[in-house]
Amino acid sequence: MNKGRQANSNAKHVAGITLVAAFIAFMMQPARADDPAKLLKAMSDYTAAQKSISATFDSDVEVVTPELEKIQFTSSGKIQLSRPDKLRISRTGGYTDVDFIYDGKTASIYGNNAKAYVQADLVGTVDQLVDLIQAKSGVAMPGTDLLLTNAYDELMSNVVLAQHIGQGMIDGVECEHLAFRGVDTDWQIWIESGARPLPRKYVITSKAVTGAPQYTLRIRDWKTDAVADADAFVFKPPAGVTKVDLNSGAMAEFDEIPPGTPSGARK
């Protein structure tokens, strides 16, 4: 009996050592290092192939004061896209409450705090619209560059170094963590692993600005098969609001930080 117990004890001891050794070997495995450009291209192709998209987001914009103190301004919102020519972005924060609506022919931006809106007759695709609005007004449109049909080309245009950092968890979803370096701007993106390579987190660092402020975007509640209500892309000005010119100084009221506050964390 003693020999039997001893043999059983030895077997358990060996099994324990084997289990520990296997665990250590597993933990010491090098992290999977996939091609970051390939992973980004898969995301771009997947989102571009979706005819309709909706998601919610939280965004943080950092600014650096003259005293080198970092201050963050936070907003939340929703994006709805119906390709090729319909888009709506709603964003609310401490200094902004804004709707951007495009129905394929007219672009409208309404600021609830400003009690004003701007409109422009623009016929084209969402891709063309995003480029034009950001170039003319400077209004932030969180995450729209991730949803363009040519997102890969836009994102990679100034990249000098790309890395696959490893895996991460965003809102409980396993993601591939990628990092990209540019001359003036670095950025990171977390892309959902598996069959739905959707962007879940996006961080832009402005290296050329003192203090290297960041823009952070978290995206969740992704739906790629829901048919949006046609009314979602129709703008009806509320009673008592003022229409202003697209190039007027009033456009500052539509931004997500207080007017006159400098910010370098934009891409």
Side-chain angles (χ1 to χ4, degrees), residues 50 52-55 78 196 198 220-226:
Q50 308 308 311
S52 64
I53 288 175
S54 70
K78 182 176 182 178
R196 294 201 325 158
L198 292 164
R220 59 186 185 281
D221 302 325
W222 279 100
K223 294 180 182 177
T224 57
D225 54 0

Side-chain angles (χ1 to χ4, degrees), residues 18 39 44 46 56 86 98 114 133 146 195 226 236 255 257:
T18 302
L39 292 170
S44 176
Y46 181 82
T56 58
K86 292 178 174 59
V98 66
I133 291 293
L146 302 177
K236 297 178 181 179
D255 210 345
I257 60 176

Side-chain angles (χ1 to χ4, degrees), residues 57-210:
F57 63 84
D58 296 314
S59 63
D60 299 311
V61 175
E62 284 187 349
V63 300
V64 181
T65 70
E67 294 75 27
L68 301 182
E69 180 183 10
K70 281 190 176 183
I71 304 294
Q72 281 193 347
F73 298 94
T74 300
S75 300
S76 295
K78 182 176 182 178
I79 184 168
Q80 296 170 272
L81 170 68
S82 180
R83 299 192 194 278
D85 59 0
K86 292 178 174 59
L87 176 68
R88 180 166 191 156
I89 302 173
S90 303
R91 188 181 71 240
T92 303
Y95 296 91
T96 186
D97 185 355
V98 66
D99 270 326
F100 172 84
I101 303 165
Y102 182 58
D103 62 5
K105 297 179 180 179
T106 303
S108 306
I109 306 177
Y110 168 65
N112 187 47
N113 291 342
K115 299 302 179 187
Y117 70 97
V118 297
Q119 280 188 319
D121 294 327
L122 299 169
V123 178
T125 66
V126 168
D127 290 16
Q128 294 168 329
L129 177 78
V130 169
D131 288 342
L132 182 61
I133 291 293
Q134 294 189 135
K136 278 188 170 291
S137 69
V139 172
M141 301 177 70
T144 49
D145 52 342
L146 302 177
L147 301 178
L148 299 176
T149 55
N150 62 338
Y152 177 80
D153 294 332
E154 287 292 322
L155 291 167
M156 292 292 290
S157 61
N158 295 309
V159 168
V160 297
L161 177 66
Q163 301 176 77
H164 179 215
I165 303 301
Q167 282 65 51
M169 296 291 289
I170 306 296
D171 295 325
V173 177
E174 182 178 307
C175 298
E176 305 298 332
H177 180 192
L178 313 179
F180 299 85
R181 304 213 73 186
V183 176
D184 297 322
T185 304
D186 292 343
W187 53 280
Q188 301 174 70
I189 190 167
W190 287 255
I191 299 172
E192 182 174 334
S193 303
R196 294 201 325 158
L198 292 164
R200 291 282 180 170
K201 184 180 177 181
Y202 185 38
V203 177
I204 302 165
T205 304
S206 298
K207 298 184 294 183
V209 178
T210 301

Side-chain angles (χ1 to χ4, degrees), residues 35-46:
D35 181 355
K38 182 178 178 180
L39 292 170
L40 187 69
K41 185 66 164 58
M43 181 212 76
S44 176
D45 290 346
Y46 181 82

